[in-house]
Amino acid sequence: MTRYSKVIGTGAYLPSTIRTNEQISETVDTSDSWIYERTGIKSRRIAGPNESAASMAEIAARLALEAANCDANSIDLIIVATGTPDRVYPSTGCLLQQRLNIKNCVAFDIQAACSGSIFALSIADQYIKSGAAQTVLIVGTEICSRIVDWNDRGTCILFGDGAGAVLLSASNEAGILSTHIHSDGEYEDLLYCPNPQVATELNKHETGVINMRGNEVFKMAVNTLGKIVDETLEANNMDKSAIDWLVPHQANIRIIMATAKKLKMSMDQVVVTLEHQGNTSSASVLIAFNEAVRDGRIQRGQVVLLEAFGAGFTWGSALLKY
Ligand code: UT7
C-alpha cells in the first residue's frame, strides 16, 4: 500500500501591529497607490519587541496541533524554515521543541529563503514516505522587519512578519502527490542578506539587511514559476484543470497573476493574502494555506498546488490532495 504524507492540521500567527503603506510613505519616497498598483500590498504586520521567530512559531504550531487533535509528543520530526532565526544555534527547530516540551524528537532548521516551506514539505515527505517519520511538524517563521532597510523603498514596502505551520502524518489515503525543489546559486547578487558577524575582509562593510534588484528578481520569478507548474503537472500526468486551488508564495500580486494565467485559473481559485500581510518569506505559503483551510475554501479531497520562489535562487512546488 502506498504511504502518503497527509495534512492533519494547520495553523498561523500574525503579529498585531499593522504598518500601512501610508505610514511607510511618511519616511521614504513612495505612495500607497504606487505600492498597491505594483505589488498588491496595502499593509503588513510587524512583530513586537518581545516576539521572535521561535515565539511566533510556537503559536502557529500549537494551533496546528489543536486542529489535528494531536499531542505534541506524537511529533517525531520538526522542520523549521526561517531566514531570521532567534540564534545562530541552537536551531529555531530546537527552540520550538523546547517550547512545545517535546522530549523525544528530531528538530532542525532549513534555509531556503522564501521557498523554505516548500523545501521543508519536500524533506518531510521523503521522511514520511520512507517510513523514517510518522508525524512531522513544519513551520515557516519570519521576522523580516528586522532585516529590512527601512530607508530602501525598493524592499521595505514588500516584507512582513508572521508564522505558518502544517502538521503531516503518514496515511494510506492520498496526501502529498509530489514535491519538486530546485536551487541555482548563480544569482546571489540579485537577492541577498549579509551576515556581518561572520564577514570577510571583502564584505566587512555590508550591513545585515535585504538587498534586492527587484525587477530582475521579478522576471526570474515569473519565468521559473511557469516552469515549475509544467514540471509538477507532467510528473503527475495531470491536466491543469485538475487543480482546485493555487496557494502561491505571496511576493507580488503580478507574479501570482502570471502563474494563475499560465494555469488558466480564475483568481477565485487562488489564495491571496499579501494585501494585508506583505511577503512573509518562508512563512507565506503556509499562512495562506492555513487561511483557506480554516475559512472552508479548501475542502478535503481537493487538489492544491503550493509554489514558491526565493533567494538562492531557490524554487519549488508541492502538489497535494488535501
Ligand atoms: O520573495 C522573494 C522574491 N522577491 C520577489 O519576487 C520580488 C520581486 N520584485 C518585485 O516585486 C518588484 O520588482 C518591485 C515591487 C520590488 C519593484 O517593482 P517594479 O515594477 O519591478 O519597479 P522597478 O524596480 O523596475 O522600478 C521602476 C521605478 C524606478 O524608477 P525610475 O528608475 O523608473 O525612475 C524605481 O526607482 O519605480 C521606482 N520605485 C519606486 N517608486 C515609488 C521603486 N520602488 C519604488 C517605490 N515607490 N517603493
Side-chain angles (χ1 to χ4, degrees):
M1 205 176 275
T2 313
R3 187 176 158 103
Y4 289 100
S5 312
K6 186 101 190 149
V7 173
I8 58 167
T10 66
Y13 172 74
L14 292 165
S16 56
T17 300
I18 295 169
R19 189 167 296 170
T20 63
N21 291 349
E22 285 83 1
Q23 286 171 307
I24 292 178
S25 314
E26 287 166 15
T27 51
V28 289
D29 182 15
T30 188
S31 65
D32 173 48
S33 58
W34 193 97
I35 301 170
Y36 188 61
E37 276 161 30
R38 297 287 183 117
T39 69
I41 298 167
K42 283 246 162 224
S43 63
R44 68 287 295 142
R45 302 298 185 97
I46 307 294
N50 294 321
E51 291 187 299
S52 72
S55 77
M56 298 196 306
E58 180 186 356
I59 301 171
R62 286 194 186 279
L63 288 167
L65 283 162
E66 196 181 286
N69 198 14
C70 182
D71 185 88
N73 276 294
S74 60
I75 294 169
D76 41 27
L77 172 62
I78 296 173
I79 308 175
V80 172
T82 183
T84 52
D86 290 26
R87 299 189 183 281
V88 173
Y89 48 77
S91 69
T92 310
C94 286
L95 299 179
L96 179 59
Q97 178 186 17
Q98 181 196 47
R99 283 169 175 268
L100 295 175
N101 201 21
I102 303 173
K103 297 292 170 218
N104 189 19
C105 82
V106 177
F108 57 80
D109 287 5
I110 58 132
Q111 161 57 285
C114 297
S115 311
S117 293
I118 302 288
F119 275 52
L121 280 168
S122 184
I123 297 165
D125 190 39
Q126 314 309 319
Y127 269 85
I128 289 178
K129 277 195 308 205
S130 71
Q134 180 74 22
T135 306
V136 182
L137 172 66
I138 296 170
V139 185
T141 181
E142 298 283 2
I143 305 211
C144 298
S145 62
R146 293 194 195 141
I147 57 163
V148 153
D149 177 356
W150 288 99
N151 295 311
D152 174 12
R153 67 178 184 173
T155 52
C156 75
I157 57 164
L158 297 173
F159 294 95
D161 302 337
V166 67
L167 201 60
L168 296 175
S169 183
S171 170
N172 296 328
E173 268 177 51
I176 292 182
L177 302 175
S178 70
T179 62
H180 307 266
I181 56 173
H182 298 276
S183 313
D184 185 347
E186 196 183 322
Y187 300 97
E188 178 202 355
D189 55 332
L190 296 189
L191 178 53
Y192 64 95
C193 180
N195 182 357
Q197 271 186 294
V198 290
T200 64
E201 276 301 306
L202 280 177
N203 54 21
K204 66 181 179 189
H205 302 300
E206 292 179 331
T207 47
V209 293
I210 300 171
N211 288 259
M212 181 171 72
R213 303 218 308 254
N215 194 266
E216 286 159 83
V217 176
F218 183 98
K219 286 178 197 150
M220 287 290 294
V222 170
N223 284 334
T224 310
L225 290 171
K227 285 185 202 144
I228 197 84
V229 163
D230 286 339
E231 181 186 333
T232 311
L233 290 169
E234 263 169 45
N236 290 278
N237 200 14
M238 191 182 269
D239 187 75
K240 34 175 95 91
S241 60
I243 298 174
D244 296 299
W245 292 100
L246 174 66
V247 183
H249 171 47
Q250 310 284 318
N252 186 313
I253 191 68
R254 293 181 292 141
I255 299 175
I256 295 174
M257 286 167 87
T259 311
K261 194 174 165 197
K262 163 113 193 152
L263 283 165
K264 294 198 165 58
M265 286 178 103
S266 135
M267 285 304 284
D268 293 343
Q269 293 170 275
V270 183
V271 183
V272 179
T273 57
L274 91 170
E275 185 170 340
H276 297 294
Q277 296 172 15
N279 177 351
T280 55
S281 191
S282 72
S284 94
V285 173
L286 296 186
I287 294 174
F289 183 56
N290 172 70
E291 186 174 301
V293 164
R294 286 188 179 246
D295 69 19
R297 272 178 288 172
I298 296 179
Q299 295 283 319
R300 283 284 172 204
Q302 288 188 320
V303 176
V304 185
L305 175 64
L306 303 102
E307 46 85 341
F309 178 88
F313 288 132
T314 54
W315 64 98
S317 66
L319 187 73
L320 61 86
K321 196 167 228 184
Y322 177 61

